[in-house]
Amino acid sequence: MLVKRQLTKVINRFKFEELESAVIPVFPETSWSRVRSKLIKNHKTFTVANAVHVIQDILDNTDLSLKDLHDRLTTLEVTYISRHNNKRIWYGYKLSGLNNELRHLDSQEIQEGIKKEFYSNGLDMDIKAVMYDSIMFICVKEKKKKKKAQYLLLPTYFALFFGQKYFFCSRKNVSVDYIKTIAFNLGYNNSKRIKLMGKDLKSLIKLLWIKQQNVLQAGDINQPPVYQPSNPVISNNGTDYTQSKQRKKYAEQCFGKDPPILEKLVIKGPEESIKHDSVASKLPTNNIRMNWEFRSHNMARFLTALIERRAFMPPLPDYISNFMIMGKNELTLQTEQQTQS
């Protein structure tokens, strides 16, 4: 059966040490001690693949409905995402238009509320919600019928931070109905996409918190860090004229000591006319736009290295030095004329 193969495929993604807390609770027909006992009895090593064989035997000898199997599959999928959320890129949304008093709902209440809202809009959805590491993860699957058989589309995942006006989605392009439903169940009328994306959810929400703190302390937000060159260091080995330590200190002023982890920085330049006279005379109506995209496992560390090695010379432009207080990693630059208009 296809769904059983899908179940084993998802279980195989987990680490062995996660099976007891994340996988076995989905199968009340067995227990972790029973799985371990079978592995020991059959002289099998403690690996995920061997544990999966034990779980497969249990599934084969248990009369489970197709609906129950799909339900367990969705639970395992969202559980896996909750524990390995840094393997996906998450796209940020900001909530607006508070329509209800905010409540701290548990996963079951959130799950049922979203399901009812979809159903009222004529959509039959499979919804699962789990809480992990203070983040609510929600899996949304739309049920479709094809040739009298029902199947599920690929899941869309959401990550919610209670008490925050933001949530994140695992898809760059997602149905408006999905976004509206999530916002409504969080007590808001609307939401809009923000220019923030990344793999580390805690870092993303930290970046938004830093932005909020700087808005509250608006007096400091427009004061860029100051680069102060140091005098040459004289030692027994000679005179060191390099400013590497000062440049590193300047980068720390810009990005902080423990900055949020981001994997991408996109800078979109303004649209401008061609400046080169000979080219401009041949293309008088053409404009150009320069874009830059930086990728790294840790953008703050990467930018610091560029500053230390003088690839970026301080002082940096405001859109780089204030990068960590903007609450976004997709920046759009404007010319002075565009700013004034």
mmCIF file of all heavy atoms in Angstrom, residues 232-254:
data_model
loop_
_atom_site.group_PDB
_atom_site.id
_atom_site.type_symbol
_atom_site.label_atom_id
_atom_site.label_comp_id
_atom_site.label_asym_id
_atom_site.label_seq_id
_atom_site.Cartn_x
_atom_site.Cartn_y
_atom_site.Cartn_z
ATOM 1 N N PRO A 232 49.547 52.316 14.553
ATOM 2 C CA PRO A 232 50.344 51.098 14.312
ATOM 3 C C PRO A 232 50.785 50.452 15.619
ATOM 4 O O PRO A 232 51.112 51.144 16.589
ATOM 5 C CB PRO A 232 51.544 51.623 13.509
ATOM 6 C CG PRO A 232 51.062 52.897 12.901
ATOM 7 C CD PRO A 232 50.086 53.492 13.865
ATOM 8 N N VAL A 233 50.787 49.128 15.669
ATOM 9 C CA VAL A 233 51.199 48.394 16.862
ATOM 10 C C VAL A 233 52.668 48.008 16.713
ATOM 11 O O VAL A 233 53.042 47.285 15.783
ATOM 12 C CB VAL A 233 50.336 47.129 17.060
ATOM 13 C CG1 VAL A 233 50.814 46.343 18.286
ATOM 14 C CG2 VAL A 233 48.866 47.523 17.218
ATOM 15 N N ILE A 234 53.503 48.489 17.623
ATOM 16 C CA ILE A 234 54.948 48.212 17.573
ATOM 17 C C ILE A 234 55.277 47.095 18.548
ATOM 18 O O ILE A 234 54.934 47.163 19.733
ATOM 19 C CB ILE A 234 55.758 49.477 17.911
ATOM 20 C CG1 ILE A 234 55.398 50.609 16.926
ATOM 21 C CG2 ILE A 234 57.255 49.186 17.878
ATOM 22 C CD1 ILE A 234 56.021 51.942 17.277
ATOM 23 N N SER A 235 55.930 46.054 18.042
ATOM 24 C CA SER A 235 56.324 44.920 18.898
ATOM 25 C C SER A 235 57.733 44.479 18.512
ATOM 26 O O SER A 235 58.360 45.062 17.623
ATOM 27 C CB SER A 235 55.339 43.764 18.726
ATOM 28 O OG SER A 235 55.435 43.235 17.415
ATOM 29 N N ASN A 236 58.228 43.433 19.178
ATOM 30 C CA ASN A 236 59.567 42.906 18.876
ATOM 31 C C ASN A 236 59.651 42.360 17.453
ATOM 32 O O ASN A 236 60.735 42.242 16.886
ATOM 33 C CB ASN A 236 59.938 41.802 19.871
ATOM 34 C CG ASN A 236 60.121 42.353 21.276
ATOM 35 O OD1 ASN A 236 60.463 43.530 21.438
ATOM 36 N ND2 ASN A 236 59.893 41.515 22.284
ATOM 37 N N ASN A 237 58.490 41.982 16.923
ATOM 38 C CA ASN A 237 58.452 41.422 15.562
ATOM 39 C C ASN A 237 58.368 42.507 14.491
ATOM 40 O O ASN A 237 58.323 42.201 13.303
ATOM 41 C CB ASN A 237 57.265 40.468 15.423
ATOM 42 C CG ASN A 237 57.390 39.272 16.346
ATOM 43 O OD1 ASN A 237 58.494 38.764 16.553
ATOM 44 N ND2 ASN A 237 56.268 38.839 16.914
ATOM 45 N N GLY A 238 58.283 43.764 14.921
ATOM 46 C CA GLY A 238 58.174 44.843 13.951
ATOM 47 C C GLY A 238 56.947 45.684 14.185
ATOM 48 O O GLY A 238 56.329 45.643 15.260
ATOM 49 N N THR A 239 56.571 46.433 13.193
ATOM 50 C CA THR A 239 55.415 47.324 13.278
ATOM 51 C C THR A 239 54.254 46.751 12.472
ATOM 52 O O THR A 239 54.415 46.426 11.295
ATOM 53 C CB THR A 239 55.762 48.728 12.746
ATOM 54 O OG1 THR A 239 56.891 49.233 13.475
ATOM 55 C CG2 THR A 239 54.589 49.679 12.907
ATOM 56 N N ASP A 240 53.106 46.625 13.137
ATOM 57 C CA ASP A 240 51.913 46.088 12.482
ATOM 58 C C ASP A 240 51.012 47.261 12.103
ATOM 59 O O ASP A 240 50.457 47.938 12.956
ATOM 60 C CB ASP A 240 51.185 45.133 13.444
ATOM 61 C CG ASP A 240 49.947 44.507 12.802
ATOM 62 O OD1 ASP A 240 49.724 44.765 11.609
ATOM 63 O OD2 ASP A 240 49.218 43.772 13.496
ATOM 64 N N TYR A 241 50.919 47.502 10.788
ATOM 65 C CA TYR A 241 50.087 48.609 10.303
ATOM 66 C C TYR A 241 48.659 48.150 9.962
ATOM 67 O O TYR A 241 47.829 48.959 9.570
ATOM 68 C CB TYR A 241 50.720 49.229 9.049
ATOM 69 C CG TYR A 241 52.003 49.971 9.338
ATOM 70 C CD1 TYR A 241 53.234 49.332 9.193
ATOM 71 C CD2 TYR A 241 51.995 51.300 9.752
ATOM 72 C CE1 TYR A 241 54.418 49.998 9.447
ATOM 73 C CE2 TYR A 241 53.177 51.979 10.015
ATOM 74 C CZ TYR A 241 54.388 51.333 9.864
ATOM 75 O OH TYR A 241 55.555 52.005 10.123
ATOM 76 N N THR A 242 48.400 46.868 10.066
ATOM 77 C CA THR A 242 47.070 46.377 9.658
ATOM 78 C C THR A 242 46.000 46.845 10.642
ATOM 79 O O THR A 242 46.264 47.053 11.827
ATOM 80 C CB THR A 242 47.041 44.840 9.578
ATOM 81 O OG1 THR A 242 47.274 44.319 10.889
ATOM 82 C CG2 THR A 242 48.084 44.322 8.612
ATOM 83 N N GLN A 243 44.815 46.965 10.142
ATOM 84 C CA GLN A 243 43.685 47.424 10.953
ATOM 85 C C GLN A 243 42.653 46.305 11.115
ATOM 86 O O GLN A 243 41.478 46.574 11.347
ATOM 87 C CB GLN A 243 43.042 48.626 10.261
ATOM 88 C CG GLN A 243 43.963 49.801 10.030
ATOM 89 C CD GLN A 243 44.322 50.474 11.333
ATOM 90 O OE1 GLN A 243 43.467 50.618 12.204
ATOM 91 N NE2 GLN A 243 45.573 50.867 11.482
ATOM 92 N N SER A 244 43.099 45.054 11.010
ATOM 93 C CA SER A 244 42.171 43.930 11.025
ATOM 94 C C SER A 244 41.300 43.905 12.283
ATOM 95 O O SER A 244 40.086 43.710 12.212
ATOM 96 C CB SER A 244 42.939 42.611 10.901
ATOM 97 O OG SER A 244 42.061 41.509 10.948
ATOM 98 N N LYS A 245 41.935 44.129 13.466
ATOM 99 C CA LYS A 245 41.173 44.094 14.716
ATOM 100 C C LYS A 245 40.149 45.216 14.773
ATOM 101 O O LYS A 245 39.027 45.029 15.261
ATOM 102 C CB LYS A 245 42.128 44.188 15.910
ATOM 103 C CG LYS A 245 42.957 42.933 16.128
ATOM 104 C CD LYS A 245 43.830 43.064 17.363
ATOM 105 C CE LYS A 245 44.656 41.797 17.585
ATOM 106 N NZ LYS A 245 45.528 41.908 18.779
ATOM 107 N N GLN A 246 40.531 46.393 14.282
ATOM 108 C CA GLN A 246 39.602 47.523 14.294
ATOM 109 C C GLN A 246 38.433 47.271 13.337
ATOM 110 O O GLN A 246 37.292 47.627 13.636
ATOM 111 C CB GLN A 246 40.332 48.805 13.891
ATOM 112 C CG GLN A 246 41.307 49.312 14.935
ATOM 113 C CD GLN A 246 40.620 49.571 16.269
ATOM 114 O OE1 GLN A 246 40.787 48.809 17.211
ATOM 115 N NE2 GLN A 246 39.820 50.629 16.329
ATOM 116 N N ARG A 247 38.749 46.672 12.201
ATOM 117 C CA ARG A 247 37.676 46.376 11.246
ATOM 118 C C ARG A 247 36.717 45.322 11.823
ATOM 119 O O ARG A 247 35.506 45.413 11.636
ATOM 120 C CB ARG A 247 38.270 45.907 9.916
ATOM 121 C CG ARG A 247 38.946 47.027 9.130
ATOM 122 C CD ARG A 247 39.239 46.622 7.698
ATOM 123 N NE ARG A 247 40.300 45.618 7.625
ATOM 124 C CZ ARG A 247 41.597 45.907 7.507
ATOM 125 N NH1 ARG A 247 41.991 47.188 7.471
ATOM 126 N NH2 ARG A 247 42.509 44.952 7.429
ATOM 127 N N LYS A 248 37.282 44.335 12.543
ATOM 128 C CA LYS A 248 36.437 43.320 13.179
ATOM 129 C C LYS A 248 35.561 43.956 14.263
ATOM 130 O O LYS A 248 34.368 43.620 14.416
ATOM 131 C CB LYS A 248 37.300 42.219 13.785
ATOM 132 C CG LYS A 248 36.490 41.066 14.360
ATOM 133 C CD LYS A 248 37.402 39.951 14.855
ATOM 134 C CE LYS A 248 36.569 38.783 15.389
ATOM 135 N NZ LYS A 248 37.417 37.665 15.856
ATOM 136 N N LYS A 249 36.148 44.877 15.025
ATOM 137 C CA LYS A 249 35.404 45.584 16.064
ATOM 138 C C LYS A 249 34.283 46.418 15.443
ATOM 139 O O LYS A 249 33.163 46.487 15.972
ATOM 140 C CB LYS A 249 36.360 46.484 16.859
ATOM 141 C CG LYS A 249 35.705 47.176 18.040
ATOM 142 C CD LYS A 249 36.732 48.010 18.809
ATOM 143 C CE LYS A 249 36.067 48.736 19.971
ATOM 144 N NZ LYS A 249 37.055 49.570 20.713
ATOM 145 N N TYR A 250 34.576 47.035 14.313
ATOM 146 C CA TYR A 250 33.569 47.833 13.611
ATOM 147 C C TYR A 250 32.423 46.931 13.133
ATOM 148 O O TYR A 250 31.240 47.283 13.275
ATOM 149 C CB TYR A 250 34.230 48.531 12.419
ATOM 150 C CG TYR A 250 33.261 49.215 11.487
ATOM 151 C CD1 TYR A 250 32.648 50.417 11.835
ATOM 152 C CD2 TYR A 250 32.951 48.653 10.255
ATOM 153 C CE1 TYR A 250 31.750 51.037 10.977
ATOM 154 C CE2 TYR A 250 32.056 49.262 9.387
ATOM 155 C CZ TYR A 250 31.470 50.461 9.759
ATOM 156 O OH TYR A 250 30.574 51.075 8.899
ATOM 157 N N ALA A 251 32.761 45.757 12.600
ATOM 158 C CA ALA A 251 31.728 44.817 12.142
ATOM 159 C C ALA A 251 30.856 44.370 13.305
ATOM 160 O O ALA A 251 29.629 44.227 13.155
ATOM 161 C CB ALA A 251 32.379 43.612 11.472
ATOM 162 N N GLU A 252 31.471 44.184 14.463
ATOM 163 C CA GLU A 252 30.715 43.786 15.657
ATOM 164 C C GLU A 252 29.759 44.887 16.076
ATOM 165 O O GLU A 252 28.648 44.627 16.545
ATOM 166 C CB GLU A 252 31.681 43.452 16.802
ATOM 167 C CG GLU A 252 31.018 42.738 17.962
ATOM 168 C CD GLU A 252 32.023 42.302 19.004
ATOM 169 O OE1 GLU A 252 32.661 41.242 18.810
ATOM 170 O OE2 GLU A 252 32.184 43.025 20.009
ATOM 171 N N GLN A 253 30.183 46.151 15.901
ATOM 172 C CA GLN A 253 29.287 47.275 16.177
ATOM 173 C C GLN A 253 28.088 47.255 15.237
ATOM 174 O O GLN A 253 26.970 47.568 15.629
ATOM 175 C CB GLN A 253 30.036 48.596 16.015
ATOM 176 C CG GLN A 253 30.989 48.945 17.141
ATOM 177 C CD GLN A 253 31.634 50.307 16.893
ATOM 178 O OE1 GLN A 253 32.252 50.528 15.844
ATOM 179 N NE2 GLN A 253 31.478 51.215 17.826
ATOM 180 N N CYS A 254 28.332 46.868 13.998
ATOM 181 C CA CYS A 254 27.264 46.840 12.995
ATOM 182 C C CYS A 254 26.276 45.704 13.242
ATOM 183 O O CYS A 254 25.064 45.910 13.220
ATOM 184 C CB CYS A 254 27.857 46.683 11.590
ATOM 185 S SG CYS A 254 28.801 48.100 10.997
#
